[in-house]
Amino acid sequence: MAFTGTSDYIASDELRLAVNAAVTLGRPLLIKGEPGTGKTMLAEALAESLDTRLIQWHIKSTTKAQQGLYEYDAVSRLRDSQLGDPRVEDIGNYIVKGKLWEAFEAGERPVLLIDEIDKADIEFPNDLLQELDKMEFYVYETQQTVKAKQRPVVVITSNNEKELPDAFLRRCFFHYIQFPEKDEMTRIVDVHFEGLKQQLLAEALDCFFEIRDMPGLKKKPSTSELIDWLKLLVAEDIEPEVLQSKDQGRSIPPLYGALLKNEQDIQLFEKLAFMARR
């Protein structure tokens, strides 16, 4: 089945091609892009499109690759042995399956999301090379080899916080999600809002992209922040004219806290707006 997006997820032609190419090649799909551009939602949409299960592994700075395979709970086994629990005779009772093991033994071909892989240490991707390539791993405690019943669709996201190893990159199909242009952003907004006033949308998008285009901005507002801002504009019944008003010393848009996330950007916006008025 070719991925074309879903009713709730607007995918560009380039993204659709990348997803289908990765599935055809049987390689992990490595997705990069600005925060808030829908990288994680892509895996959810892909699972929905394929009508299959989504298995999510959210990576933290303390996450180790071994946790994705399995962990041996030696502490619980020691405690049970002290209590005389007969379960201690089978070491398999103390093997905790990880997300990769869960994906490998799934009955139907699942979508496996490895989210924000760049949060982990630099060795994390290399520690998964063999498992993602061969789709199998060895459990030393039980002396068994776990093989994937069928190759899962693997989606890996990165916010580019650190460079990934070349050996890992060679095994992936890469795609960078470009920030949506105004036409595509309009379609994305239409998915989230029913009956939104077109004049309000037009003025809000003009204001949003004007902010993103400001030179020197430390944190550009993302798609998810635009959606939050529009929700607030609708909830507060803000008129479209307010967004285009330049009088009365207005320098920042109403409810700007949904868009601008630090004081440096607010001060920069106010400074540029003041210079523009002069």
Side-chain angles (χ1 to χ4, degrees):
M1 180 186 296
F3 175 70
T4 58
T6 68
S7 59
D8 297 326
Y9 188 89
I10 304 298
S12 66
D13 293 340
E14 294 80 7
L15 179 56
R16 292 197 294 266
L17 285 172
V19 171
N20 293 321
V23 173
T24 299
L25 293 173
R27 291 189 177 275
L29 174 63
L30 175 61
I31 295 291
K32 291 186 179 183
E34 290 183 33
T37 50
K39 299 186 295 296
T40 301
M41 290 179 61
L42 170 63
E44 300 171 357
L46 181 55
E48 178 184 344
S49 176
L50 298 176
D51 192 23
T52 191
R53 179 184 174 195
L54 173 64
I55 299 173
Q56 303 185 57
W57 186 16
H58 299 288
I59 307 303
K60 301 178 181 179
S61 60
T62 56
T63 303
K64 302 299 180 184
Q66 181 64 34
Q67 294 172 309
L69 307 179
Y70 70 93
E71 291 184 279
Y72 169 48
D73 191 355
V75 175
S76 293
R77 193 182 188 202
L78 175 61
R79 183 191 63 238
D80 288 348
S81 66
Q82 294 171 337
L83 297 174
D85 194 322
R87 296 174 70 249
V88 298
E89 300 300 327
D90 183 1
I91 196 172
N93 291 324
Y94 303 92
I95 299 296
V96 181
K97 298 178 181 179
K99 296 297 183 180
L100 263 72
W101 191 331
E102 191 177 335
F104 285 3
E105 69 177 7
E108 296 182 357
R109 187 183 192 186
V111 173
L112 171 64
L113 169 64
I114 304 177
D115 198 26
E116 298 187 330
I117 193 172
D118 52 323
K119 281 188 175 180
D121 64 60
I122 191 63
E123 292 303 321
F124 180 90
N126 281 336
D127 290 342
L128 290 176
L129 286 180
Q130 182 75 10
E131 289 75 16
L132 291 177
D133 197 24
K134 301 296 184 181
M135 285 291 154
E136 65 179 49
F137 61 88
Y138 187 71
V139 184
Y140 292 95
E141 289 79 3
T142 60
Q143 300 181 9
Q144 69 178 118
T145 298
V146 177
K147 294 185 178 181
K149 294 181 179 179
Q150 48 197 328
R151 182 177 288 270
V153 179
V154 181
V155 177
I156 303 172
T157 71
S158 170
N159 286 326
N160 235 3
E161 292 183 6
K162 64 171 66 78
E163 289 295 324
L164 299 175
D166 289 344
F168 180 79
L169 293 175
R170 284 197 300 271
R171 289 166 169 80
C172 298
F173 190 94
F174 172 76
H175 180 74
Y176 184 90
I177 297 182
Q178 298 288 345
F179 197 82
E181 298 291 340
K182 188 173 292 186
D183 289 344
E184 185 179 352
M185 186 65 80
T186 300
R187 288 163 43 215
I188 293 173
V189 170
D190 286 342
V191 168
H192 294 271
F193 295 91
E194 185 175 348
L196 183 64
K197 297 177 182 177
Q198 291 305 300
Q199 186 181 357
L200 175 63
L201 175 58
E203 296 294 345
L205 287 179
D206 285 344
C207 184
F208 173 77
F209 280 101
E210 178 184 339
I211 294 175
R212 277 190 57 88
D213 291 340
M214 285 197 317
L217 201 64
K218 185 176 180 180
K219 166 68 174 69
K220 293 184 177 183
S222 66
T223 305
S224 60
E225 288 158 344
L226 170 63
I227 299 300
D228 288 343
W229 186 49
L230 284 169
K231 287 179 181 178
L232 292 174
L233 294 179
V234 172
E236 296 296 327
D237 198 22
I238 301 296
E239 293 297 327
E241 294 76 16
V242 175
L243 301 180
Q244 60 182 199
S245 175
K246 301 296 183 183
D247 58 358
Q248 298 180 352
R250 182 180 300 282
S251 58
I252 53 179
L255 304 166
Y256 63 86
L259 298 175
L260 301 175
K261 299 298 184 178
N262 58 69
E263 62 276 14
Q264 295 97 321
D265 287 344
I266 295 174
Q267 291 169 2
L268 174 63
F269 191 92
E270 290 176 331
K271 180 180 179 180
L272 293 177
F274 175 75
M275 294 173 62
R277 287 198 301 272
R278 294 187 64 184

